[in-house]
Amino acid sequence: MEHPPTLRFSLQLQIFLSFVLSLAFLTTTTTTITQGQEEEEDQFVYSGFSGGGGTGLGLTLDGTATVTPDGVLKLTNGTLHLKGHAFYPTPCRFRKSPNGAVQSFSVTFVFCMVPVYSDQCTDGMTFLISPTKDFSGAQHSQYLGLLNKTTDGKPSNQIFAVELDSSQNTEFDDIDDNHVGIDINSLTSTQVRPAGFYDDKKGGAFNNLTLVSRKEMQVWVDYDADTTKITVTLAPLKVAKPSRPLVSTTYNLSTVLRDKSYLGFSASTGPINSLYCVLGWSLGINRAAPDIDMTKLPKLPRIGPKPRPKAMEIVLPIASATFIFLVGTSIVLLVRRRRKYAELHEDWEDEYGPHRFSYKDLFHATQGFHNKNLLGHGGFGKVYKGVLPVSKLEVAVKRVSHESKQGIKEFIAEIVSIGRIRHRNIVQLLGYCRRKGELLLVYEYMSNGSLDRYLYVQEEEDAPTLDWGRRFEIIKGVASGLFYLHERWEKVVVHRDIKASNVLVDGEMNGRLGDFGLSRLYEHGTDPQTTRVVGTMGYFAPELARTGKATPLTDVYAFGIFILEVTCGRRPIVDKGVEEDDGSEILVDWVVEHCRKGSLMETVDMRLRGSSSDPDEVCLALKIGLLCAHPFGNVRPSMRQVMKYLDGETPVPELMPTTLSYSMMGVLQNDGFSDYASLSATVSSRNGITSSSSFSAGR
Ligand SMILES: Nc1ncnc2c1ncn2[C@@H]1O[C@H](COP(=O)(O)OP(=O)(O)OP(=O)(O)O)[C@@H](O)[C@H]1O
Ligand SMILES: *[C@@H]1O[C@H](CO)[C@@H](O)[C@H](O)[C@H]1NC(C)=O
Ligand SMILES: *[C@@H]1O[C@H](CO)[C@@H](O)[C@H](O)[C@H]1NC(C)=O
Ligand SMILES: *[C@@H]1O[C@H](CO)[C@@H](O)[C@H](O)[C@H]1NC(C)=O
Ligand SMILES: *[C@@H]1O[C@H](CO)[C@@H](O)[C@H](O)[C@H]1NC(C)=O
Ligand SMILES: [Mg+2]
């Protein structure tokens, strides 16, 4: 029966196809087998041990050995007196045939020793080739988890190892605690050298290496079957394999190794917490070991104290010292600054808020109370010129030292109330500031200073003086200011310290009264017995010495002295040595004497004579001065009357020379005036402004 042509064709195709298929099958199986043989027995390479589900790519681990998630093979875990092992899972064939010689091989691995707490590690680690993976009988510490006391040195071990020993054990003839050795069946090395390498870049000079340095290092182990030469080479990770090995020996490993042997690592800890790690590993039998991919090596485990760079050991203490120093300095500066600008503030002062200045502002206004801004100093303290920071207003700041708290409340109430006074002949008090032990008073700045500067110029100096017209205007101005204080203001204010240095001259040459009330701060005593009278010698009304009570009439007395002072150009109490012996050194007595003799005009300031001064006005001033300075308070006029006399509205009552003689000179010899008399006798004079022991004066 003949097959149809199509069928015949399909049969041919079938045969052809089955042939092709079986050929393809044969090819695939052979490749699989050769590949498998190569992978399992010829070579392997680990660039890190991650993958394979945490088992370290199938490594056989025991004891303390683990593989970290990063892929570091940790042979020990830091715990003392323990051992750990890691093996390539399958044995490798070292001989071509079971009875042949051991072939050449080469192994390379990257390791690292990490001390946990100190700079030391015990005991060490090995790379090993052994007939078994069972090292349960091996001992830890100096036995490196490789052998034990009974097995050490026995040829039956069939073990080849390279030890990286970080401790010195005399029982194995260790040379030091940092050596590399070739071990055959024994921990007593066949050949050993201190760790290091021959640097090709330096012409083969030997470089020491410290195994325990937390630095990765690479080891190459090579066996040449022809010469039976074993070489071990060590180098830092960055250095290429040195051409000269560190340790080498000749030993026919055919007499040692079994055909099928396991490759692996052992490590053990002794009395110091240590980590022995392997990061990469490769083997080649009868060929070079494949290169480990250094870029894929895992990071070292961060255990124990961080390896601090040398620079940090210097930089860190310096940096922290600097930091502490800076913090300390700024605290000190802050505290000092706070103390520098510290003020006293009490609740009752709240209502005076608008009149309060901050010390800081005053400090900056006066450039830190610099001497170049010093305007002068009087009985209560120094006066500085200043410019307020924001308003650029020119001020005079008076620093008054004030220790006691007593009376400060009343005083501040008074100065704040006085501060509200606006009068063209009164220096305005702008405000105050209080600190511990001192009070600062802020006044309007008077560009022409105090009047005494114009009255008492040194004779040699051709300094400016004031003509009579100006002087008379100033007298009138001061009178008007004082009148305002006594009678026009909402309450009676007694100035208490009228004198030429407290009359200031403003830019338009107006006389202005300043410094009122200050003496009150010092007068305040707890009981009348100790109440002190404060003021300036020469301006004291006689009754003030006895009663201690300042009244408008004691102000009038001082004003009288002031008029005489301005007219005569002499200080109220004149230095004896300077003046010719033409009368008393007391100004008022001297004028009275002349008045009695009818030669009143001789008392007028030399610089005013012969000039354009009006003799009637001068005489009027002298008479008003004498009247105001009358020893009897009830004879003195009020400021209202003084104003009228000065304006010529009312004639000055004529002081009869006899009356004068009686009331002034006569009274001085009287008992009632012993105080006054003794005062004038015991005056110790300096600058015409003096104090005596019978007064507790402010200076
Ligand atoms: N507001 C001011 N403007 C300009 N200069 C001033 C002002 N206040 C004071 N001075 C200057 O400072 C000097 C010292 O003043 P201070 O009041 O401290 O002393 P004093 O008037 O001589 O005596 P006292 O302490 O009895 O008042 C004055 O002589 C004056 O030159
Ligand atoms: C180290 O390994 C041993 C044994 O596996 C274990 O007992 C010990 O707790 C481990 N130590 C640390 C610090 O993990
Ligand atoms: C030493 O090791 C061998 C083999 O591992 C074991 O049989 C033996 O018991 C061990 N001896 C000691 C004292 O641990
Ligand atoms: C290396 O170490 C040895 C012993 O510790 C020492 O004698 C030698 O000087 C060292 N060499 C160098 C180059 O540091
Ligand atoms: C090493 O030993 C084996 C067997 O003992 C022998 O066959 C081989 O020739 C030796 N190799 C050398 C280089 O001596
Ligand atoms: Mg003054």
Side-chain angles (χ1 to χ4, degrees), residues 63-65 74 76-79 82-83:
T64 53
K74 273 165 61 185
T76 56
N77 64 7
T79 302
L82 290 175
K83 59 189 159 98

Side-chain angles (χ1 to χ4, degrees), residues 374-385 395-398 427-428 443-453 497 499-505 514-515 518 535-536 689 698-699:
L374 188 68
L375 291 170
H377 65 274
F380 301 106
K382 293 181 173 172
V383 182
Y384 296 86
K385 187 191 169 173
V395 292
V397 181
K398 187 166 194 164
V427 177
Q428 206 199 329
Y443 295 97
E444 270 182 282
Y445 174 69
M446 296 291 114
S447 51
N448 285 317
S450 51
L451 183 63
D452 55 345
R453 265 181 50 204
D497 200 10
K499 58 175 173 176
S501 80
N502 279 344
V503 171
L504 295 148
V505 185
D515 265 347
L518 253 191
T536 305
I689 305 163
R699 60 191 67 229

Side-chain angles (χ1 to χ4, degrees), residues 478 482 495-500 502-503 513 539 555 558-559 562:
V478 172
L482 196 55
H495 186 287
R496 293 158 196 259
D497 200 10
I498 292 171
K499 58 175 173 176
N502 279 344
V503 171
L513 259 179
Y539 298 89
D555 269 358
F559 179 69
F562 168 73

Side-chain angles (χ1 to χ4, degrees), residues 230-281:
I230 306 164
T231 59
V232 177
T233 315
L234 176 69
L237 200 58
K238 297 276 153 54
V239 177
K241 185 183 179 181
S243 53
R244 181 172 168 192
L246 175 65
V247 197
S248 60
T249 188
T250 308
Y251 203 105
N252 191 341
L253 287 183
S254 302
T255 61
V256 179
L257 298 179
R258 289 223 196 133
D259 177 25
K260 284 187 174 178
S261 286
Y262 292 93
L263 278 83
F265 298 94
S266 79
S268 75
T269 50
I272 295 175
N273 286 318
S274 321
L275 287 182
Y276 296 98
C277 304
V278 181
L279 307 169
W281 182 23

Side-chain angles (χ1 to χ4, degrees), residues 176 194 206-208:
D176 59 14
F206 186 74
N207 261 16
N208 284 339

Side-chain angles (χ1 to χ4, degrees), residues 124-144:
M125 62 181 283
T126 71
F127 160 74
L128 61 89
I129 303 174
S130 139
T132 172
K133 293 198 276 190
D134 178 16
F135 276 76
S136 53
Q139 281 174 288
H140 53 74
S141 299
Q142 71 267 37
Y143 290 94
L144 306 181

